[in-house]
Amino acid sequence: MFKGKKIALYVTGGIAVYKVVDLMRELIKNGAEVRVAMTPSACEFVSPLTFQVLSRHFIYLNTFEENDPEVVNHINIADWSDLALVAPASANTIAKLSAGLADNFVTSALLATTAPVFIVPAMNANMYKNTVTQENIEKLKNRGHYVMTPDKGFLAEGYEGEGRFPEKTRILDELKLAMRDQDMRLPLKGKTIIITAGGTKERIDPVRFISNDSSGKMGHALAEAAWRQGATVKLITTSQLETPGYIERLAVESAAEMYNEVHTLFKEADALVMAAAVSDYSPKNVEKKKMKKQNELTLELKKNPDILMEMGRIKAPQQCLIGFAAETDNIIEYAKEKLTAKHADLIVANDVGKTDRGFNVDSNEVTLVSHTDEPKVISLQEKSKIAREIINWLIEYYN
Ligand code: C5P
């Protein structure tokens, strides 16, 4: 999401400046182009040279130091940027921004910018709690700026409080969220999409279960892809894979639990993508205590609810259903049968007979089988790219 983004990073005075060096590196690593401006007090904590070497660009410090007669630097950076990131934002700079002051390079550029402004406050807990700081933050939020809440924890002053510079992953997650929400043109804006992921676990006893090889990678990649196109995503997953903070995650274990979650959420959803590998059977009786070793053991299994099929039965005409088919032979033929039998709008068929694709690996090759188009092969590539193609199909479907 940061690829090619022009980010103006405004660094103000606080001990957290040293953490912003790492944040900047991460943004650059993710493809952003970063230009840095610092207040005089920020320079007391970390030398501008550190930012200069790592951003490979000179640092803006002084409003009146104009090295190029063709441009006025603080207007230039304000106009150039797609996003203004203020990190750390001191109580002092927050107060100046709220009052509309322009008394140094940073505040002047921020007054001039029309780019979305994202503010990461970091300060002493009492400064942060002070009514005047809170009022200033409210004013900035009312003007449409995104202001993060700082972390709670051990402060530089040696005591606990709210004011710590947030963890890098939370900053990046919220930045993505703010950037996405700014973009009104995203095609899935206003749509709620349920995505299931992972193999279900069917308990035999407290320590044993029946499951399959599904890792959840495909479903998690779909969740990210749908979110990036503007959707509200609810990810129902059995997987231990991490999810970013902006995706609502509902952890389940068995097919029955997954069915209950899907059934509850389906009424309000615009689409359901069943990427989970749902076990078709589960033990008829779940033993309360760990079973003792025996020479022979027969497990009696009962059929699980077919979630996709059930939702196909109750779906409203405008709801879109996407199922997956993992097969080892006659892939297209089976996918077509499934499409009809389950009242789905799309079946994503994949060949699980090969080791380089499908279950538990990072790549996949799939064929999209729908009622309207000829089967479309999406050749072997990363699951994140396959996910984008599937979500593009959904976007086309809504069009
Ligand atoms: O019939 P089959 O299990 O091959 O269908 C696969 C599709 O149906 C997948 O999308 C899977 O998530 C879904 N499914 C389901 N409930 C089941 C079994 C499969 O929703 N009990």
Side-chain angles (χ1 to χ4, degrees), residues 29-66:
K29 214 166 75 188
N30 281 285
E33 211 183 318
V34 183
R35 298 277 178 274
V36 182
M38 297 171 78
T39 62
S41 36
C43 303
E44 297 289 330
F45 291 93
V46 171
S47 157
L49 187 60
T50 307
F51 285 97
Q52 178 170 310
V53 171
L54 295 171
S55 71
R56 295 160 76 195
H57 200 272
F58 65 84
I59 308 303
Y60 301 104
L61 301 169
N62 187 330
T63 323
F64 305 106
E65 206 174 279
E66 300 289 11

Side-chain angles (χ1 to χ4, degrees), residues 274-276 278-280 304-308 323-325 327 338 342:
M274 283 292 307
V278 185
S279 307
D280 292 323
N304 279 335
D306 188 321
I307 308 172
L308 187 61
F324 276 64
E327 308 286 356
K338 227 165 254 185
K342 304 204 177 197

Side-chain angles (χ1 to χ4, degrees), residues 150-224:
D151 273 355
K152 291 194 181 91
F154 192 67
L155 301 173
E157 293 79 348
Y159 53 83
E160 300 270 324
E162 187 173 17
R164 272 171 68 91
F165 191 71
E167 285 302 323
K168 191 171 67 183
T169 49
R170 184 160 78 87
I171 299 177
L172 295 171
D173 281 357
E174 287 194 34
L175 248 179
K176 286 186 196 166
L177 182 66
M179 279 161 54
R180 186 194 80 142
D181 289 347
Q182 288 281 342
D183 195 342
M184 295 302 167
R185 299 155 306 175
L186 290 173
L188 295 181
K189 232 182 161 74
K191 299 261 188 269
T192 299
I193 300 180
I194 306 172
I195 295 170
T196 64
T200 62
K201 280 183 185 175
E202 311 301 332
R203 287 275 157 203
I204 299 169
D205 73 12
V207 294
R208 302 186 179 97
F209 55 80
I210 304 172
S211 193
N212 57 60
D213 269 335
S214 169
S215 61
K217 283 178 181 164
M218 194 65 237
H220 282 240
L222 279 160
E224 178 76 29

Side-chain angles (χ1 to χ4, degrees), residues 239-310:
S239 170
Q240 302 299 315
L241 289 172
E242 279 188 25
T243 35
Y246 45 75
I247 286 175
E248 188 184 336
R249 177 194 182 115
L250 299 130
V252 293
E253 193 178 89
S254 63
E257 282 173 18
M258 187 173 275
Y259 173 82
N260 287 339
E261 287 290 2
V262 171
H263 191 251
T264 310
L265 298 174
F266 188 62
K267 280 186 277 311
E268 308 295 327
D270 297 287
L272 166 65
V273 186
M274 283 292 307
V278 185
S279 307
D280 292 323
Y281 300 94
S282 56
K284 203 164 176 186
N285 302 306
V286 184
E287 299 297 329
K288 297 238 162 21
K289 291 188 183 143
K290 186 182 166 208
M291 289 163 77
K292 290 280 170 248
K293 203 181 294 174
Q294 310 162 37
N295 278 342
E296 263 185 35
L297 174 69
T298 307
L299 274 181
E300 217 181 326
L301 302 177
K302 65 171 196 289
K303 198 136 197 284
N304 279 335
D306 188 321
I307 308 172
L308 187 61
M309 183 104 92
E310 291 298 322

Side-chain angles (χ1 to χ4, degrees), residues 97-159:
L97 296 181
S98 135
L101 291 182
D103 65 342
N104 60 35
F105 189 98
V106 165
T107 50
S108 304
L110 282 164
L111 194 62
T113 198
T114 53
V117 180
F118 187 96
I119 298 171
V120 192
M123 62 194 72
N124 168 271
N126 296 328
M127 277 186 174
Y128 180 68
K129 270 194 298 198
N130 196 311
T131 318
V132 71
T133 304
Q134 288 303 316
E135 283 170 2
N136 289 334
I137 287 175
E138 269 317 298
K139 271 197 211 166
L140 294 178
K141 284 185 180 169
N142 290 338
R143 271 180 222 152
H145 295 347
Y146 191 105
V147 187
M148 281 188 77
T149 47
D151 273 355
K152 291 194 181 91
F154 192 67
L155 301 173
E157 293 79 348
Y159 53 83

